[in-house]
Amino acid sequence: MSQVKIYGVREQLLPIRQQLSDVIHRCVVEALSFPEDKRAHRFFYLDDADFFRPASASENYIILEFMMMEGRTVETKKKLIHLLYERIGQQLGVAVTDLEICILESPPHNWGFRGMTGDEIRLSYKINV
């Protein structure tokens, strides 16, 4: 299981929403071996005045937060991060200084979906990749 929160300035993020979601999804499918039909993205649009950012970042600054169940290797998570930087940069023109990524993990028993906890449910894909 994985969910993605995407934060950015409304005027900058809204026009690229679909393309950014598509790029993120392709990276997740490739790096985490997710099924094609498994996408959980939430966009959080902020007013420019409410989104404080580092001095090195522009108004295009985006934060990606991945919430996922524990189990992936360090190499798998690094692969995801590197793919995101590469493809978001190439396909959307977002500079590396305008993209921050954080992966937050918790044990499967802390997740609840389809009426069960994550350690009880049988998934159609592997977590330990």
Side-chain angles (χ1 to χ4, degrees):
M1 187 70 180
S2 179
Q3 297 182 2
V4 185
K5 293 180 184 178
I6 301 131
Y7 300 88
V9 174
R10 175 181 303 280
E11 292 78 17
Q12 306 303 319
L13 194 53
L14 194 57
I16 64 168
R17 175 184 59 198
Q18 186 62 54
Q19 188 178 5
L20 180 57
S21 178
D22 290 344
V23 171
I24 292 168
H25 184 63
R26 284 191 299 273
C27 292
V28 167
V29 167
E30 183 175 333
L32 303 182
S33 301
F34 256 49
E36 285 288 338
D37 64 348
K38 184 92 174 127
R39 185 186 308 209
H41 298 172
R42 279 89 173 135
F43 283 82
F44 294 85
Y45 303 104
L46 302 164
D47 292 330
D48 189 49
D50 294 328
F51 196 30
F52 293 88
R53 49 192 174 266
S56 60
S58 75
E59 66 278 353
N60 297 319
Y61 183 62
I62 298 168
I63 297 174
L64 302 180
E65 272 185 13
F66 289 80
M67 298 185 321
M68 60 179 72
M69 282 193 239
E70 293 174 340
R72 281 128 185 137
T73 66
V74 170
E75 293 77 21
T76 296
K77 292 179 276 189
K78 284 181 152 189
K79 179 179 181 180
L80 175 62
I81 290 170
H82 290 294
L83 281 174
L84 290 162
Y85 275 114
E86 175 187 320
R87 294 187 182 164
I88 291 171
Q90 287 175 349
Q91 297 177 34
L92 293 162
V94 175
V96 295
T97 55
D98 283 333
L99 181 61
E100 288 194 18
I101 302 163
C102 182
I103 296 174
L104 305 168
E105 295 179 296
S106 64
H109 63 266
N110 285 356
W111 287 74
F113 51 96
R114 294 185 229 146
M116 298 181 188
T117 60
D119 60 337
E120 298 170 334
I121 201 158
R122 188 158 198 227
L123 299 172
S124 62
Y125 56 93
K126 293 180 182 179
I127 298 294
N128 297 325
V129 294

